[in-house]
Amino acid sequence: MYVVTFLEITDVPVKEFLERVVGSGWKDTFSPNHLLKIFFPVLMTIAPPMSLKLVLDIIRTTTRTLRLERDNLNLEVDFLRSQLNPHFLFNTLNNIYSLSIRNDALASDLIMHLSEMMRYTLYDSNTEMVPLHLEAEFLKNYVELESVRYGKNASIHFDCDTEKMDGYQIAPLLMFPFVENAFKYSHSTTADKCWIHASMDVSDNQLRFEISNSKGELPEGKKVSGGIGLTNTRKRLILLYPDQHILFIENNPEYYKVVLTLKLN
């Protein structure tokens, strides 16, 4: 004895699909034209959420990459701050000691400049943006302290009017590597009289910073070690001031020149 069981399908799309299969056969049901008719509505249904998810994944990946780059640059800036302490501080303290032995009144001025610099690097510059006039004062103090070490055998000028810089902000220690390099390379050559000329000016919400230094042949067997300063500065400019800066560098046997124009605020 056989028992016949009937399966009733209530889902209309499934029922219509099975009726088409029974009526037209598997060959017509799975033909390219019929599959395309089925696939296109399915694609239109799932494509928008899949596309949205893909776009969101790309945005998340890009944001994560930019965050990592910014974090790496912040670490390099921290390292740049710490670099001020060893060699620069050692040389400056030696100069102050020598002047104090001679009871030179310049010693007290150097102590004041050094104090201002250390306060800036330890406290004032620990933010993403700093007042432009503080950055300018920091560079002026650095130039003053280094000028003492060079003495009369150098022509060093830094033209800057900090009163014109009130109300403007800038990323901290952005131009310091250029100044540091100017002193490093001009002092390391065999030229009888080295020179460093720098200027910093603001006009129409635009900063123009320029510095150039003398160059010559290095003494035999002497090498000037490079640092992360210039590479770090290029990365920071691209990340922090995209399409808002122009960096021009001219390097020839007689002199080295840097011109940075930057749109502020």
Side-chain angles (χ1 to χ4, degrees):
M1 181 178 180
Y2 296 97
V3 178
V4 180
T5 303
F6 294 95
L7 176 64
E8 183 177 359
I9 300 174
T10 58
D11 191 290
V12 176
V14 175
K15 186 176 182 180
E16 291 178 351
F17 174 75
L18 291 176
E19 287 177 350
R20 265 198 311 271
V21 171
V22 174
S24 13
W26 291 100
K27 184 176 180 181
D28 291 339
T29 301
F30 291 99
S31 65
N33 289 337
H34 187 253
L35 288 176
L36 186 62
K37 291 179 181 178
I38 298 175
F39 177 73
F40 187 73
V42 173
L43 180 63
M44 293 300 294
T45 302
I46 65 174
M50 288 184 64
S51 300
L52 180 61
K53 184 180 185 304
L54 180 61
V55 171
L56 290 175
D57 288 343
I58 293 174
I59 293 175
R60 291 192 189 100
T61 302
T62 303
T63 303
R64 190 180 302 113
T65 302
L66 290 175
R67 189 181 297 115
L68 288 174
E69 288 182 1
R70 184 182 293 272
D71 290 343
N72 288 336
L73 286 176
N74 288 335
L75 289 175
E76 291 176 354
V77 173
D78 290 339
F79 178 71
L80 192 62
R81 290 193 190 101
S82 67
Q83 267 192 321
L84 279 175
N85 299 330
H87 64 281
F88 174 75
L89 185 59
F90 179 77
N91 290 332
T92 302
L93 289 176
N94 272 342
N95 291 333
I96 294 174
Y97 175 72
S98 300
L99 292 171
S100 63
I101 289 179
R102 302 196 303 265
N103 292 323
D104 195 320
L106 185 59
S108 60
D109 292 335
L110 294 186
I111 293 174
M112 183 187 67
H113 290 310
L114 181 61
S115 174
E116 292 292 333
M117 284 194 65
M118 298 308 296
R119 181 170 61 195
Y120 182 78
T121 55
L122 292 175
Y123 304 109
D124 297 337
S125 64
N126 287 325
T127 58
E128 290 187 2
M129 304 294 285
V130 296
L132 181 59
H133 70 90
L134 290 182
E135 180 80 3
E137 288 291 349
F138 167 77
L139 296 178
K140 288 176 68 175
N141 285 327
Y142 181 82
V143 171
E144 288 289 339
L145 290 171
E146 286 283 42
S147 298
V148 174
R149 182 162 64 95
Y150 277 60
K152 297 180 180 179
N153 192 36
S155 173
I156 300 174
H157 303 287
F158 183 30
D159 298 324
C160 177
D161 185 1
T162 56
E163 293 183 359
K164 296 172 60 177
M165 300 178 181
D166 287 340
Y168 293 105
Q169 300 273 319
I170 195 171
L173 300 175
L174 194 62
M175 292 159 289
F176 173 70
F178 300 131
V179 180
E180 185 184 39
N181 272 21
F183 280 97
K184 181 192 299 183
Y185 285 96
S186 63
H187 187 64
S188 302
T189 63
T190 57
D192 293 333
K193 187 175 179 65
C194 60
W195 54 266
I196 299 172
H197 299 159
S199 64
M200 192 172 174
D201 186 53
V202 176
S203 178
D204 297 328
N205 295 331
Q206 182 170 281
L207 170 70
R208 178 182 172 86
F209 172 80
E210 180 176 336
I211 186 167
S212 55
N213 60 272
S214 58
K215 283 180 58 180
E217 295 182 2
L218 289 173
E220 186 176 352
K222 183 171 184 178
K223 294 182 179 179
V224 179
S225 58
I228 65 167
L230 294 182
T231 302
N232 174 53
T233 301
R234 289 180 184 273
K235 290 179 182 178
R236 293 180 71 202
L237 285 169
I238 293 173
L239 184 62
L240 301 177
Y241 297 95
D243 302 321
Q244 294 180 314
H245 76 277
I246 299 175
L247 178 61
F248 170 79
I249 296 179
E250 182 181 358
N251 187 9
N252 62 54
E254 288 75 31
Y255 65 90
Y256 189 88
K257 181 178 182 180
V258 175
V259 180
L260 172 65
T261 54
L262 186 71
K263 188 174 181 180
L264 298 170
N265 296 344

